[in-house]
């Protein structure tokens, strides 16, 4: 700013591309001097309330002895720069205001290396925010837990494209959980995108005793066991066996159920239910002791 006891006031303007920027040149103590506004190339936009510049995007909002306020519609990046307020006093006074144009990211895309992962595997996810300014900050969440990615910024003329890479070791508890890529940028609110994880895992197997419900497995009484197995994909193959021994002749196996209608001491031992799917095989054991 030139001259002492500066009589001119203005503020910097930050605006999102396509929006309206308003520039205000104000005089603290008016003495009827002429106020004028110049663009970054020092061409006169307004001289008093007259506009020599043939650009109708500039419009007068307010004009008086103490203020020249001008709006610029449909702002683009090429409008960025220093605009000068001048006051025709002796000597003339000048002050500048800077217009900064923000550009929100064009779009936001998550790219997953594999549509379907297997538990224990490490997968790579990339989130790209295209063409913004300034460069975006990308944040990652799995469910509502924040994770740390690694960002790379690519500059292309005036714009920045940011890609963030996330390495994620997945477990069965991650199946169906959303991974969210969220953008921190002054030009946008709440811009995010998400992908749901699909994680395959081997069966979880459980054996439960249906009968007798409570109490002891007594000689002469029946025993009924049920095997349940969950996995992804859902296990189709389920089988019963007796560990370290042959299955007794009188044991009836139907699907996931095992039935012994008349227990005797020779039935003592460990009964195993095995289930398998494309990922692997698991089992659960039941130890039978006949009283």
């Amino acid at each position: 700013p030139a001259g002492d006891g500066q009589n001119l006031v203005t503020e910097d303007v930050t605006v999102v591309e396509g929006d309206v920027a308003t520039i205000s040149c104000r005089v603290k103590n008016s003495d009827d001097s002429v106020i004028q506004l110049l663009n970054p190339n020092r061409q006169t936009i307004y001289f008093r309330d007259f506009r020599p510049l043939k650009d109708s995007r500039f419009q007068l909002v307010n004009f008086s002895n103490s203020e020249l306020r001008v709006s610029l519609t449909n702002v683009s990046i090429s409008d960025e720069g220093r605009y000068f307020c001048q006051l025709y006093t002796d000597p003339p006074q000048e002050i500048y205001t800077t217009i900064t144009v923000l550009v929100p990211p064009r779009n936001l895309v998550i790219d997953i290396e594999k549509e379907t992962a297997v538990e224990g595997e490490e997968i790579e996810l990339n989130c790209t925010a295209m063409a913004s300014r300034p460069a975006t900050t990308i944040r990652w969440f799995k469910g509502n837990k924040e994770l740390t990615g690694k960002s790379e910024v690519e500059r292309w003329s005036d714009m920045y494209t940011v890609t963030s890479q996330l390495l994620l070791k997945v477990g069965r508890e991650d199946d169906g959980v959303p991974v969210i890529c969220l953008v921190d940028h002054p030009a946008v609110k709440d811009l995010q995108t998400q992908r749901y994880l699909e994680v395959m895992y081997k069966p979880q197997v459980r054996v439960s005793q249906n009968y007798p419900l409570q109490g002891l497995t007594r000689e002469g009484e029946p025993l009924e066991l049920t095997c349940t197995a969950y996995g992804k994909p859902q296990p189709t193959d389920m089988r019963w066996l007796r560990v370290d021994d042959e299955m007794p002749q009188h044991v009836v196996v139907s699907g996931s159920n095992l039935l012994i209608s008349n227990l005797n001491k020779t039935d003592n031992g460990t009964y195993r239910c095995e289930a398998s799917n494309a990922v692997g095989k698991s089992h659960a054991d039941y130890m039978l002791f006949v009283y």
Side-chain angles (χ1 to χ4, degrees), residues 6-8 25-27 29-38 42-48 50 52 63 65 68 84-95:
Q6 184 60 263
N7 202 10
L8 276 170
C25 300
R26 296 188 302 286
V27 183
N29 304 307
S30 172
D31 59 359
D32 296 348
S33 299
V34 170
I35 313 174
Q36 92 166 333
L37 176 64
L38 288 77
R42 297 195 80 89
Q43 297 164 300
T44 302
I45 300 170
Y46 270 93
F47 180 88
R48 282 202 164 107
F50 171 67
F63 170 70
N65 285 340
L68 171 61
F84 302 91
C85 296
Q86 280 184 345
L87 191 59
Y88 274 77
T89 48
D90 189 21
Q93 297 177 42
E94 183 176 283
I95 187 174

Side-chain angles (χ1 to χ4, degrees), residues 209 211-212 215-225 242 248 250-251 258 260-271 286-291:
Q209 180 178 310
Y211 190 89
L216 307 173
T217 39
R218 291 195 175 88
E219 205 165 359
E221 302 238 317
L223 168 73
E224 191 188 343
L225 303 177
R242 188 179 181 184
H250 55 280
V251 169
L258 179 145
I260 302 176
S261 51
N262 193 347
L263 286 172
N264 70 53
K265 289 275 190 221
T266 62
D267 298 329
N268 283 349
T270 302
Y271 293 81
Y286 173 87
M287 288 179 74
L288 172 63
F289 181 81
V290 178
Y291 291 89

